[in-house]
Amino acid sequence: MATTAVGVGMGGVLLGNSICFRKTQQLSISKTSQVSVSEIGFVTSQLSGIRISYSPPKPLSAPFSPALQPVIARRICPFTGKKANRANKVSFSNHKTKKLQFVNLQYKRVWWEAGKRYVKLRLSTKALKTIEKNGLDAVAKKAGIDLRKK
């Protein structure tokens, strides 16, 4: 015997000879018949005797909290503030489409003289040249970066 799902009014679904509801305790199928909820979780129509399954809504135990998202490193240099440039990609037929030109970011271990240790940084090659010229402390101070946290 195959059961088919057919839509029924008031949020119920007809499965074969049973109707599943997610409503309040008192349900009315038609104007003439009232539906009562029995103790075992079934709703029985007094007019036709069709067995209708009912399950009360479950209360939420805790408020919904979204799952933690992974931390994605942004493509911005923390020292210079350089970020992606929006440009046109031009084909041979001179058809222009938008593209992003990303910053040349590199992971680099740089010696920090004041801390007497290496600091692993993700910085652009332009920032690396600036650090070689002015020093790591001066560039980090100007950018507002605390090297003790790195």
Side-chain angles (χ1 to χ4, degrees), residues 106-110 119-123 128 132:
Q106 304 293 326
Y107 285 98
K108 183 74 178 164
R109 277 189 346 147
V110 181
V119 181
K120 188 174 182 180
L121 302 170
R122 186 177 190 221
L123 48 102
L128 189 58
E132 288 177 2

Side-chain angles (χ1 to χ4, degrees), residues 10-60:
M10 299 188 318
V13 176
L14 178 66
L15 294 172
N17 290 337
S18 299
I19 301 174
C20 297
F21 281 97
R22 290 240 182 230
K23 287 289 184 182
T24 58
Q25 292 287 338
Q26 192 67 17
L27 298 173
S28 118
I29 291 181
S30 68
K31 294 179 183 176
T32 59
S33 70
Q34 290 290 324
V35 178
S36 61
V37 179
S38 66
E39 305 302 325
I40 57 174
F42 290 103
V43 178
T44 310
S45 172
Q46 296 170 350
L47 182 64
S48 62
I50 298 175
R51 186 175 168 183
I52 303 169
S53 64
Y54 170 80
S55 59
K58 297 175 184 170
L60 294 174

Side-chain angles (χ1 to χ4, degrees), residues 89-117:
K89 181 178 180 181
V90 182
S91 67
F92 179 74
S93 64
N94 206 22
H95 181 74
K96 295 173 179 69
T97 56
K98 297 289 184 187
K99 73 170 191 172
L100 287 175
Q101 296 172 338
F102 295 112
V103 181
N104 188 8
L105 292 175
Q106 304 293 326
Y107 285 98
K108 183 74 178 164
R109 277 189 346 147
V110 181
W111 178 254
W112 181 31
E113 191 61 39
K116 301 291 186 204
R117 65 181 175 98

Side-chain angles (χ1 to χ4, degrees), residues 43-90:
V43 178
T44 310
S45 172
Q46 296 170 350
L47 182 64
S48 62
I50 298 175
R51 186 175 168 183
I52 303 169
S53 64
Y54 170 80
S55 59
K58 297 175 184 170
L60 294 174
S61 60
F64 175 73
S65 62
L68 294 174
Q69 297 292 327
V71 177
I72 300 173
R74 296 178 62 198
R75 293 176 175 162
I76 296 176
C77 177
F79 291 95
T80 60
K82 286 182 169 285
K83 56 185 177 180
N85 180 41
R86 176 159 278 187
N88 282 324
K89 181 178 180 181
V90 182

